[in-house]
Amino acid sequence: MEPATLALRVQPAGAVPVALSDGAGKHAVSVLQQSATRLQWQWDAGAYRFELELKDRDLLVAIHAKSAGELVFLRQSAAAAGRGLIMPLAEGHYVPAGDKVWQKFLLDLGEFNTAQDLSLPLWGVDHGAFSLSWLMTNPFNNKVKVARDGDGVSFALSHEFVSLAPAAPMTLILHLNGPDALAGARRYRDWLVAEGKFETLKEKVGRSPEGARLFGAAHVYLWGGGLLAPADVRDWPAFLAVLRGDAALAVRLRANVGRDGAEALAEARGLPERAQQRALLDAVNGALNALARDSWQTAAPDAEVLAGRYGELRAEVARTFARTLTADPGAWGGGVSVATMKKLRKAGLPRLWIGLGEGWEGGLWHPEAVAAGVEAGYLVAPYDSYETALKPGSNPDWATAHLGEKVYRDCAIVLKSGLFRAGFQKSGRYTDSNCVRPVLQARVKAVAAKAGFNSWFLDAYASGMVFDSYRAEAPMTQAQNAAGNMEASRWISDTLKMPAGSEDGHGPAAQGILFAHGVQTPVIGWGDKDMQKDKNSPHFLGSWFPASQPTVFFKQVPLKESLRAIHFNPATRLPLYQAVFHGSVVSSHHWLFDSLKFGNVRGDNELTQLLYNVPPLYHLSGDTLDQRLPLIKRQDAFFRPLHQRLAGEQMTAFSAMSPDRLLQEARYSDGTRLIANFGDKDLVVDGRRLAKRSVTAINSDGYSSVYVVAAE
């Protein structure tokens, strides 16, 4: 280590030195103290103080600042990466040196936040005989800037010392290991355990017993949570007559159906065609949601009023439209219905996590459906969110973000400039999770009691998206924001006994959750014109309509080859996240990209899911059940018994068994081996035939079973 610049060289035994970091600009050094294993000094008359300790295979680094400011302290050249980078982008990737596709991807990123943009606060470099990993044990207020460096890319790591926590040091570990791509991840897991920041699934389930239902469960988002489905109308002419009549509810519904609904109602005659029926009921369901929201989307929302209003309206619909609808309101509904739960159960799917994609409103309309799912053995949860607070009166359709005037005013994140931080997609304001928690607790408790949910999904709370807030009366650091998020999840899991999950489950934010969506497949192509805006592009993901089956979730499209090479090439994927959190957090895909979304990667997706022993994730609606159930059942038959046994186990080893890295093996702490052949040829290894496009599971007793991808 060169104290004046922080330049760092590593000397492998019998080999040339590696310039691991070029350091920062030159500074005046004072109070230098050195021993065989420790080095301490100061910069610029005490502006910064550095402490280094060599301990076994670790170099422990701590940097203290006298005042607030940003310090660039590590500059890793392209040459320092050796053969390749080990990056926990989503689940994890190996970035070969000189790979132009990866270089462009990293350069397009420009910079990344070590808490939010990395699933684990670390990265590594591969030098063949040895690997080196940087672990940011203070993962907050760090960013890495990526720049072109000759034929490769360089990294510059900086840390912001904030006035909110002037004594908090930047701490990190440089870890040395052999030629093992998972070494840094395993060292991070060991550090979490040593710091008391790691909880096993078995420990979590001990406090939240319903969490045991996650073991072996595929994950499903269910759509169609509106009150009525076409099958619920037994007399269409009479239904239309009442809807056009002067009953008080009918008048209020017509005032809220919108222009498209009004046109559909004006055009409908006798027995409407199927498409007209759907359009009419989408409009009526939307109007019913609007009427329910009117009761609680006020300056001071009342959680009990919210939880009760949907059932009251359902009873009013039953009275007003009595002779036109089927007799039992508890059996109404399309995707979210008792009939759907019975169909899933009858299909032979005894374990599922089912999230209501439209939020908790579907559960309040259909508590009988939730109860049927719970009775079938499923975890049933709403998609809920408290990250963004909207100004009362704005965007009523974003129901979860209506948290009231007090939250909007007093719980908003305040920037150093004194301005409020705009919320998701520049709407509303991002919130302080500690401040908003009383509202969260009141709403979750009231809705869960009325709808009967036995699980919960908190959007973004485990994504690592955390903020410093400079509100004078309630300052908050990123670390405190993350702790508040985790405490909210833990309250749901441990106090209400509903296993909680969230988005991503990134390392600095993973405590308190039992499951996470977004590591196996992350958000891809955000801002890509072809995927997001151009409706004529074959890659267009779709829209958020209709509410009962949004095409953005159900439309199957091919993924661009450039993005396919980044996110789904099995030769460059690494189970870094699983090396840390398998046995602690059940992870799956982001809901935008379920297991069936990208048709041209479906097979690789299936194989990777099974190899990493993570659940598939599917979107289902009333109209897609029959089409998708055979696919779900086929993989479930292989995945469920494996995951029931392995969900609580640690992934202990991972290796590529062929030069092209298309034959891979993962090992688990109970002795199970999973071998995936991603290639298009059968192979024989140690006398065992490994079919092309297959996963072979080998138990500790030698018993094996095989899953082969269906025709692609």
Side-chain angles (χ1 to χ4, degrees):
M1 171 65 77
E2 171 52 58
T5 64
L6 303 183
L8 179 63
R9 294 184 302 279
V10 177
Q11 177 68 62
V16 297
V18 174
L20 196 61
S21 173
D22 296 336
K26 195 168 185 178
H27 293 259
V29 174
S30 61
V31 199
L32 179 68
Q33 301 177 47
Q34 183 175 354
S35 71
T37 58
R38 293 184 63 84
L39 183 64
Q40 300 179 59
W41 74 95
Q42 294 182 3
W43 265 3
D44 305 335
Y48 293 99
R49 180 165 54 88
F50 300 87
E51 299 174 349
L52 275 67
E53 180 181 4
L54 195 60
K55 189 174 183 180
D56 299 323
R57 291 171 175 263
D58 294 336
L59 177 66
L60 310 178
V61 180
I63 307 173
H64 304 260
K66 182 184 288 187
S67 58
E70 186 172 352
L71 175 68
V72 178
F73 61 91
L74 190 157
R75 296 184 186 276
Q76 177 181 293
S77 68
R83 297 182 178 186
L85 293 165
I86 299 161
M87 298 291 296
L89 295 163
E91 175 60 61
H93 294 277
Y94 183 89
V95 182
D99 188 306
K100 301 303 180 185
V101 174
W102 266 105
Q103 287 175 12
K104 182 179 186 306
F105 178 78
L106 292 172
L107 289 167
D108 286 347
L109 279 181
E111 69 177 41
F112 48 86
N113 174 318
T114 63
Q116 181 178 344
D117 300 321
L118 300 178
S119 61
L120 309 170
L122 59 89
W123 79 83
V125 293
D126 171 22
H127 282 269
F130 66 94
S131 62
L132 289 161
S133 303
W134 289 106
L135 282 64
M136 280 136 283
T137 48
N138 179 351
F140 304 110
N141 301 101
N142 307 320
K143 63 184 178 184
V144 177
K145 287 192 174 182
V146 185
R148 183 171 294 283
D149 181 15
D151 290 333
V153 295
S154 65
F155 286 173
L157 174 63
S158 65
H159 178 77
E160 182 185 6
F161 296 89
V162 296
S163 60
L164 299 169
M170 172 54 191
T171 58
L172 62 161
I173 297 172
L174 176 62
H175 177 66
L176 166 69
N177 215 300
D180 178 4
L182 301 192
R186 277 202 285 271
R187 181 64 186 91
Y188 178 59
R189 186 183 190 279
D190 291 343
W191 179 84
L192 288 173
V193 171
E195 294 292 315
K197 297 181 178 181
F198 188 89
E199 298 173 298
T200 67
L201 264 179
K202 292 173 184 175
E203 290 170 330
K204 295 174 183 178
V205 169
R207 298 190 301 271
S208 187
E210 289 285 275
R213 299 191 188 206
L214 286 167
F215 290 51
H219 290 217
V220 167
Y221 277 105
L222 192 58
W223 297 84
L227 180 61
L228 296 171
D232 302 325
V233 182
R234 62 181 178 183
D235 188 336
W236 273 98
F239 178 81
L240 292 172
V242 174
L243 189 56
R244 290 168 174 149
D246 57 5
L249 177 60
V251 172
R252 287 168 19 235
L253 288 173
R254 291 199 302 273
N256 285 277
V257 294
R259 185 172 63 183
D260 291 345
E263 290 177 359
L265 181 58
E267 294 171 1
R269 296 289 184 273
L271 177 62
E273 295 180 357
R274 187 73 171 170
Q276 284 183 308
Q277 293 178 16
R278 292 186 183 284
L280 280 164
L281 290 184
D282 281 348
V284 169
N285 287 334
L288 286 167
N289 281 337
L291 295 179
R293 294 165 186 164
D294 281 345
S295 68
W296 63 268
Q297 284 188 1
T298 63
D302 186 311
E304 297 296 333
V305 170
L306 180 158
R309 183 58 181 141
Y310 295 79
E312 294 169 357
L313 265 175
R314 190 177 86 166
E316 190 175 356
V317 170
R319 292 192 301 270
T320 303
F321 292 87
R323 296 184 303 276
T324 74
L325 300 173
T326 53
D328 181 10
W332 292 348
V336 181
S337 65
V338 172
T340 293
M341 300 302 179
K342 288 181 177 178
K343 198 164 191 175
L344 292 170
R345 189 176 189 175
K346 188 177 179 181
L349 298 170
R351 287 177 176 258
L352 292 172
W353 179 89
I354 298 176
L356 304 193
E358 294 156 274
W360 28 256
E361 288 180 311
L364 294 172
W365 288 126
H366 303 290
E368 295 85 356
V370 176
V374 172
E375 183 184 354
Y378 306 150
L379 288 171
V380 186
Y383 191 101
D384 198 8
S385 179
Y386 298 87
E387 278 277 354
T388 293
L390 293 177
K391 185 175 183 179
S394 65
N395 194 359
D397 290 339
W398 190 357
T400 60
H402 282 270
L403 304 173
E405 177 64 35
K406 187 177 187 303
V407 170
Y408 181 75
R409 182 188 66 240
D410 297 340
C411 295
I413 299 294
V414 178
L415 302 171
K416 276 188 286 189
S417 64
L419 299 175
F420 295 112
R421 181 156 195 138
F424 180 64
Q425 293 191 331
K426 306 301 181 184
S427 296
R429 297 168 178 171
Y430 277 121
T431 62
D432 172 342
S433 56
N434 298 292
C435 179
V436 82
R437 193 175 309 142
V439 173
L440 177 153
Q441 290 181 340
R443 192 167 82 182
V444 170
K445 195 171 182 180
V447 170
K450 188 66 71 171
F453 294 117
N454 64 344
S455 179
W456 213 267
F457 185 89
L458 284 176
D459 179 36
Y461 263 28
S463 68
M465 182 180 67
V466 291
F467 307 105
D468 293 312
S469 184
Y470 291 82
R471 183 183 294 276
E473 58 273 26
M476 179 185 70
T477 65
Q478 291 184 18
Q480 290 167 333
N481 190 178
N485 291 354
M486 291 186 287
E487 189 56 39
S489 300
R490 190 177 286 109
W491 177 81
I492 293 173
S493 292
D494 296 357
T495 302
L496 298 188
K497 306 300 181 185
M498 297 188 297
S502 185
E503 187 176 1
D504 295 338
H506 285 181
Q511 287 177 273
I513 60 168
L514 283 79
F515 63 95
H517 295 163
V519 169
Q520 187 68 8
T521 302
V523 174
I524 296 172
W526 192 259
D528 184 283
K529 181 181 176 182
D530 292 333
M531 296 175 70
Q532 304 285 342
K533 294 181 179 180
D534 185 359
K535 295 182 179 181
N536 295 317
S537 169
H539 306 291
F540 179 63
L541 297 175
S543 68
W544 289 78
F545 298 98
S548 58
Q549 190 176 305
T551 57
V552 71
F553 296 113
F554 287 88
K555 179 187 177 188
Q556 295 184 33
V557 299
L559 183 63
K560 287 183 172 182
E561 284 302 316
S562 58
L563 292 172
R564 178 181 180 177
I566 294 295
H567 296 284
F568 290 98
N569 178 6
T572 60
R573 295 188 76 166
L574 286 174
L576 297 175
Y577 188 86
Q578 298 310 316
V580 179
F581 286 110
H582 200 283
S584 175
V585 177
V586 175
S587 65
S588 188
H589 308 272
H590 195 277
W591 75 334
L592 284 172
F593 307 114
D594 78 343
S595 298
L596 305 178
K597 181 65 179 179
F598 297 122
N600 59 339
V601 299
R602 203 180 88 194
D604 287 340
N605 220 355
E606 279 188 293
L607 295 175
T608 308
Q609 285 167 185
L610 293 170
L611 179 66
Y612 294 179
N613 192 236
V614 299
L617 185 145
Y618 307 101
H619 289 284
L620 288 177
S621 64
D623 286 347
T624 59
L625 271 172
D626 290 340
Q627 175 196 0
R628 294 191 167 195
L629 272 178
L631 301 171
I632 295 172
K633 287 171 58 180
R634 186 176 186 274
Q635 187 169 142
D636 185 76
F638 184 82
F639 165 77
R640 179 170 24 92
L642 264 180
H643 194 255
Q644 281 184 267
R645 191 174 79 247
L646 296 180
E649 302 292 332
Q650 182 183 355
M651 179 187 280
T652 55
F654 175 82
S655 61
M657 302 170 67
S658 62
D660 61 6
R661 300 184 63 85
L662 296 182
L663 185 66
Q664 300 175 10
E665 179 185 60
R667 297 191 178 215
Y668 296 84
S669 52
D670 74 337
T672 299
R673 299 167 59 201
L674 299 179
I675 302 175
N677 181 1
F678 290 92
D680 56 7
K681 295 180 180 179
D682 294 353
L683 299 172
V684 177
V685 177
D686 295 332
R688 185 184 300 275
R689 178 179 172 272
L690 302 171
K692 65 182 180 181
R693 311 293 285 158
S694 74
V695 169
T696 301
I698 308 168
N699 297 353
S700 57
D701 60 6
Y703 174 79
S704 65
S705 55
V706 179
Y707 178 89
V708 178
V709 171
E712 298 173 75

